[in-house]
Amino acid sequence: MALRYQIVPVTPFQQNCSILWCDVTRRAAVVDAGGDLARIEAAVARLGVTVEKLLLTHGHIDHAGGAAALATQLGVPIEGPQKAESFWLDQLPQQGSMFGFPPSPALTPDRWLEDGDTVAVGDETLRVIHCPGHTPGHVVFYSESAGLLVAGDVLFAGSIGRTDFPMSRHEDLIAAIRDKLFKLPDDTEVIPGHGPNTTIGAERASNPFVADARYR
């Protein structure tokens, strides 16, 4: 039994939408369906999996803009982010207009998630970690069995999420990375919201924003 993934870059921002699935049940979750739904659906069809839910890390348009439409098309629920993210999900129409995205309605998920909650994908279990800072209700999804972290816009290869948005807080983001994510095993593979994958160990050792002082 194992958790598998496929990354599907979507939107002009090349956001890493992730399809996660249990290779026993072939049940799947789509994380951060920001747009380009035909591309996501084509990838699901190629993989031969059945999507049972959508997951959201946070409410920025490139991560959440297509979620309501895709959930309706597939007849599945949306889970996440944490409830403080209503600040951004309520503004999806304005975000779409500002950045030239297709119209996207305000969104309320079927289930808000809190730190320590779990999410099922087939027979696999993801742990929810609340990581505010980039946005107030940002969550990430961690599979201990697969050694995999879907990090949204918290941690990138060599960088961290922006904190110049309304409701962002740089200190909260740094604390979330150092006090929560850096407690995960070094070999944990990180799927960031944009750009190439990395590992917790690599970012702890060399990320210029949050590297452990022992490595400097």
Side-chain angles (χ1 to χ4, degrees), residues 120-143:
V121 180
D123 291 340
E124 295 291 316
T125 299
L126 306 176
R127 177 159 62 92
V128 176
I129 305 173
H130 180 212
C131 292
H134 177 65
T135 64
H138 198 303
V139 298
V140 302
F141 300 99
Y142 173 59
S143 167

Side-chain angles (χ1 to χ4, degrees), residues 130-207:
H130 180 212
C131 292
H134 177 65
T135 64
H138 198 303
V139 298
V140 302
F141 300 99
Y142 173 59
S143 167
E144 182 178 6
S145 64
L148 183 68
L149 178 73
V150 183
D153 284 357
V154 173
L155 183 66
F156 302 101
S159 190
I160 60 173
R162 290 173 55 180
T163 54
D164 56 343
F165 297 111
M167 299 288 285
S168 296
R169 193 167 186 271
H170 183 77
E171 295 84 355
D172 289 347
L173 181 65
I174 299 300
I177 294 170
R178 288 180 171 164
D179 298 343
K180 295 182 177 182
L181 301 191
F182 279 1
K183 293 186 183 300
L184 302 177
D186 278 354
D187 61 356
T188 301
E189 184 174 10
V190 178
I191 302 175
H194 306 264
N197 287 9
T198 184
T199 66
I200 289 294
E203 299 314 306
R204 182 188 284 114
S206 62
N207 189 302

Side-chain angles (χ1 to χ4, degrees), residues 4-9 16-21 43 46-47 191:
R4 309 291 187 189
Y5 73 86
Q6 175 73 54
I7 296 172
V8 183
N16 288 333
C17 172
S18 300
I19 303 169
L20 308 177
W21 72 94
R46 285 195 302 272
L47 293 168
I191 302 175

